[in-house]
Amino acid sequence: MADILADETGIYPALDQFLEMKYPSTLTNGPWMLTPRNPIFFLDRHISPFLSLKSIKPFGFSVARYLCELCDEEITDFVRREGPLLAGGLFYPMQPPQRQLRDAFDVLDYYVEHVADLATRFPSKFYFHPTDPDWNALYFLPRWIYEHGLDRFNTPTSLRAISNHQFAEITLPPDEEMLSQLRALQDLKNLAIYEMFDMEASGMIQKMEPIPLFDWEMTKATKYNSANLTPVESLPDASTGLVAKIEIASRSVKAQSKRKPPKAPIPSSKRVKKEAPNNGSVYIAPRRGERQKPYDPKGTHFLQHAWTRAVESDATFLVFHCGKYERIGIRHRETQTLYLSELIDPSTQECYGKMQVGLQLAIIKDLLDRQAADREKKKVPSKRKRNAETDVKESVGNKKRRKDLEDRVVVDSNPSSDVVENLLASRHVALMRIHFGGYQSPAPSSFLRVGSSCAPSVANMPFKEPKGNTTYLASDYFTITLTEQISRGAVGTIYKASALFRLGSKTVEYSRLVVKMAFSEKRQEGLAHEYEIYQHLARVKCTENILPVHGLFRDAETGALALVMDIGGINLISREIQRGGDSSYTQEERCVLHLR
């Protein structure tokens, strides 16, 4: 490697200095008094059991050494293919300085400035545009997530590709294959998951150890028969790189073991309930008290939250970093296992910069491998053979199952607005489930009504907040399912939803709902204020042309707020875009908008 990087101009020694870079051993923590918060919130409890984390295992080899060797191999291959590795003006002699890192944001800033800003450019140079002298055809940079109310003990961040408009800034000859690969990467929400912590988290990261059976934290509603859960399809694990090395090491360990260890018992939180008629009561989670004890950070909570974020983005790599220590994780999809690296100290790790370059190269190689496998899979036609007899049997079986269901439950899917408004206003408990993407709720969250309905026909209905009961009859609650995320705004996240009500032997279904969810304190204040406006308008009977608002609910476990209201359909701006700029309105719309 030394002979490859040697050069009389002094540019290569600067590149070599970056690869050999370490953090100073004198980094100190700041004087801030931090108040850590539990990272597990509403969405983390609703991941499909087919995608949730089942166990944590060690790699069985040094990840740091593997990444350093990968970096050496890729630099050698590049020089053989393309010639000298010119560093341009990016690399200049500099070592990370001594600094006081006051919180997780400072730790992230320090990591980006001295590591990520350069390390994330290597995949661009090696895999996408080797002739770019400025290494700018593509770069990957962790993004900051600054939100009012977030504690400064932990800040989730991620690795992302540049946006589409920046392609116009590339002055080099366009490469269609490269652009196609870049666009595919940009479609991914996050390329890798990072959890950055204050230096006080060093003890917690040290204690992240193997867990044979991870106890995934779910909602605590019981005696509720959830819908049948089906496996969620995703791209398979990569066949090369770290994942392949893990599988080889795992096979070697299994071959050496003569006896299979006894299977550990499945905890109650991992058991998936089978579907059955829900005619009785439900036990909901106890209401969260207003006075909460200070949160004691637990590594398992942050591991669950990071795994959830990886599932959302279908990411493979997870990095936990606090300035003093670091662990690198691999999400193994097939076995639902998190493989965690050895404890890495940035101040003592030999060639820490080289290891970080190897990490960025491994992340992109994994993504390109999986995308190539997906393209090949789409080319191969399905091998499943069907015949007329099989089709008839399945058709008869499906009809029989539907008939059994119809005999058991009568569903009214077209109720009148008065019926819906009365049912929603009279039920004080909403059992909320999620069913889209990687979310399939094994059990629902328990939302208790904290604000009455503002719908015109029931606006004057008396309302009392429900007592601290934990058991409710079928006549006291309704089930609401979030089926799609529509948008996200300053007040909260908006989901399309449908509701089911038991009414004697009949089930009423209403699918024209949206739910606005607010998780942070600031957004909850905004959502509560929005509800107060609807409530005031209902009291003064000013509800014409205003969508029915069916009440405000609070999650008993996480404190999240949910505003349930009718869906208003597509907005006029979106419709105009769909029509190609046609801004014509119907007569009814003109009346509502007071247009002539």
Side-chain angles (χ1 to χ4, degrees):
M1 183 58 62
D3 58 334
I4 292 178
L5 296 177
D7 186 82
E8 295 178 356
T9 64
I11 296 177
Y12 283 168
L15 177 58
D16 192 26
Q17 184 181 15
F18 171 71
L19 296 178
E20 294 182 354
M21 176 268 292
K22 300 179 186 176
Y23 273 22
S25 59
T26 52
L27 287 177
T28 59
N29 197 13
W32 283 39
M33 297 296 293
L34 304 175
T35 54
R37 298 194 306 179
N38 191 331
I40 296 178
F41 75 123
F42 176 71
L43 292 176
D44 297 314
R45 301 166 186 264
H46 293 268
I47 288 290
S48 167
F50 298 100
L51 297 175
S52 60
L53 177 59
K54 286 186 175 180
S55 63
I56 299 176
K57 296 180 181 179
F59 277 90
F61 56 88
S62 171
V63 173
R65 185 181 299 115
Y66 170 87
L67 294 175
C68 287
E69 291 174 355
L70 174 64
C71 178
D72 286 343
E73 292 170 3
E74 294 299 298
I75 289 178
T76 302
D77 288 347
F78 179 89
V79 172
R80 286 173 179 167
R81 292 192 323 266
E82 306 293 339
L85 178 60
L86 301 177
L90 287 174
F91 297 91
Y92 47 90
M94 185 183 72
Q95 280 293 102
Q98 158 62 24
R99 260 182 60 185
Q100 187 179 70
L101 305 181
R102 299 169 299 172
D103 53 31
F105 292 164
D106 277 0
V107 170
L108 175 58
D109 290 342
Y110 193 87
Y111 176 82
V112 170
E113 181 180 357
H114 300 291
V115 179
D117 188 41
L118 294 178
T120 53
R121 295 174 187 256
F122 278 79
S124 168
K125 186 73 172 175
F126 287 3
Y127 305 142
F128 296 101
H129 216 312
T131 60
D132 181 6
D134 297 321
W135 300 42
N136 281 330
L138 174 72
Y139 59 92
F140 302 90
L141 189 65
R143 64 186 176 94
W144 289 262
I145 301 178
Y146 291 108
E147 183 180 348
H148 177 76
L150 281 178
D151 68 84
R152 305 178 78 90
F153 175 79
N154 163 245
T155 177
T157 188
S158 59
L159 210 60
R160 304 196 69 178
I162 59 175
S163 58
N164 282 316
H165 73 274
Q166 288 175 288
F167 280 124
E169 299 174 7
I170 300 175
T171 58
L172 301 169
D175 183 320
E176 287 304 320
E177 184 178 354
M178 177 200 73
L179 293 179
S180 175
Q181 289 178 324
L182 292 181
R183 292 190 186 101
L185 292 179
Q186 289 176 33
D187 290 339
L188 300 174
K189 182 178 179 182
N190 300 312
L191 306 183
I193 300 301
Y194 281 74
E195 292 286 337
M196 310 300 286
F197 298 90
D198 177 73
M199 293 181 73
E200 285 185 2
S202 59
M204 184 185 74
I205 294 179
Q206 274 183 300
K207 294 176 183 177
M208 287 181 176
E209 297 175 343
I211 301 176
L213 192 65
F214 190 87
D215 194 5
W216 187 270
E217 189 168 317
M218 301 191 318
T219 60
K220 295 181 175 61
T222 59
K223 296 184 182 178
Y224 177 87
N225 299 304
S226 61
N228 284 335
L229 302 179
T230 56
V232 180
E233 291 187 4
S234 64
L235 293 181
D237 295 295
S239 58
T240 60
L242 263 176
V243 174
K245 190 171 176 62
I246 288 170
E247 292 176 346
I248 293 172
S250 299
R251 286 196 294 270
S252 176
V253 170
K254 288 179 182 178
Q256 294 173 6
S257 176
K258 295 182 180 179
R259 292 179 56 191
K260 291 184 178 180
K263 290 185 178 181
I266 299 175
S268 58
S269 62
K270 296 293 288 183
R271 296 172 190 152
V272 180
K273 304 176 183 70
K274 294 182 179 179
E275 185 178 10
N278 182 16
N279 298 316
S281 60
V282 293
Y283 176 85
I284 70 169
R287 192 181 309 195
R288 188 178 71 161
E290 294 182 3
R291 294 184 180 181
Q292 299 288 316
K293 293 181 180 179
Y295 174 65
D296 181 21
K298 294 183 180 179
T300 53
H301 290 168
F302 290 96
L303 287 167
Q304 176 169 337
H305 179 61
W307 182 276
T308 299
R309 296 179 58 221
V311 169
E312 288 177 340
S313 306
D314 200 18
T316 300
F317 284 78
L318 298 87
V319 180
F320 304 88
H321 179 93
C322 71
K324 185 169 179 58
Y325 294 120
E326 180 176 310
R327 286 193 190 270
I328 297 169
I330 290 286
R331 172 178 162 245
H332 194 250
R333 295 165 180 81
E334 184 180 359
T335 60
Q336 295 174 243
T337 300
L338 174 64
Y339 285 89
L340 270 183
S341 73
E342 71 276 20
L343 191 66
I344 298 167
D345 184 342
S347 66
T348 62
Q349 172 62 47
E350 291 295 327
C351 298
Y352 179 69
K354 182 185 292 186
M355 188 204 80
Q356 288 292 324
V357 171
L359 172 62
Q360 303 306 322
L361 296 174
I363 290 170
I364 304 308
K365 282 173 73 70
D366 175 85
L367 286 165
L368 296 177
D369 183 318
R370 296 180 64 232
Q371 289 178 348
D374 183 49
R375 288 193 296 270
E376 290 300 317
K377 182 181 176 181
K378 290 177 180 177
K379 292 179 183 178
V380 179
S382 175
K383 295 182 179 180
R384 185 187 175 194
K385 294 182 179 180
R386 302 183 59 91
N387 55 53
E389 185 180 352
T390 302
D391 291 340
V392 169
K393 286 182 179 179
E394 289 189 2
S395 176
V396 171
N398 289 337
K399 288 180 180 179
K400 184 176 180 180
R401 283 192 292 272
R402 283 197 297 269
K403 187 177 186 304
D404 290 343
L405 181 62
E406 290 168 2
D407 290 342
R408 190 168 69 236
V409 178
V410 178
V411 178
D412 179 4
S413 58
N414 189 29
S416 66
S417 58
D418 287 345
V419 169
V420 171
E421 290 176 6
N422 275 281
L423 285 173
L424 281 166
S426 61
R427 311 271 171 124
H428 293 340
V429 178
L431 300 179
M432 192 172 296
R433 301 172 60 247
I434 310 180
H435 196 90
F436 65 85
Y439 297 104
Q440 283 190 100
S441 307
S445 287
S446 312
F447 279 73
L448 303 177
R449 184 184 291 276
V450 293
S452 61
S453 174
C454 304
S457 64
V458 292
N460 296 322
M461 181 182 290
F463 164 67
K464 253 185 172 180
E465 281 195 36
K467 297 179 181 179
N469 298 343
T470 53
T471 304
Y472 289 88
L473 300 175
S475 58
D476 297 324
Y477 66 85
F478 65 97
T479 303
I480 188 164
T481 303
L482 309 184
T483 56
E484 178 188 352
Q485 180 177 321
I486 299 175
S487 65
R488 179 177 296 179
V491 173
T493 308
I494 304 173
Y495 301 93
K496 189 176 181 181
S498 62
L500 285 175
F501 311 86
R502 290 302 301 272
L503 199 61
S505 62
K506 185 170 68 171
T507 295
V508 177
E509 180 182 18
Y510 186 66
S511 58
R512 293 190 54 79
L513 290 175
V514 293
V515 176
K516 285 188 179 181
M517 298 282 293
F519 305 109
S520 68
E521 292 179 8
K522 180 181 179 181
R523 289 181 175 174
Q524 287 183 20
E525 290 174 2
L527 188 60
H529 178 66
E530 180 180 334
Y531 167 74
E532 288 171 0
I533 294 173
Y534 287 124
Q535 197 175 44
H536 171 73
L537 293 173
R539 287 197 191 107
V540 298
K541 298 182 179 180
C542 182
T543 57
E544 186 179 359
N545 298 326
I546 296 177
L547 292 170
V549 175
H550 303 291
L552 190 66
F553 297 80
R554 185 179 296 278
D555 186 5
E557 294 177 271
T558 66
L561 270 185
L563 184 68
V564 180
M565 60 193 301
D566 271 18
I567 192 169
I570 188 171
N571 63 62
L572 294 177
I573 294 177
S574 299
R575 192 189 69 179
E576 184 177 353
I577 293 173
Q578 289 181 1
R579 291 180 174 180
D582 181 9
S583 58
S584 60
Y585 304 104
T586 66
Q587 185 59 40
E588 184 179 0
E589 289 167 351
R590 289 178 173 275
C591 292
V592 172
L593 297 171
H594 302 289
L595 298 174
R596 294 182 179 178

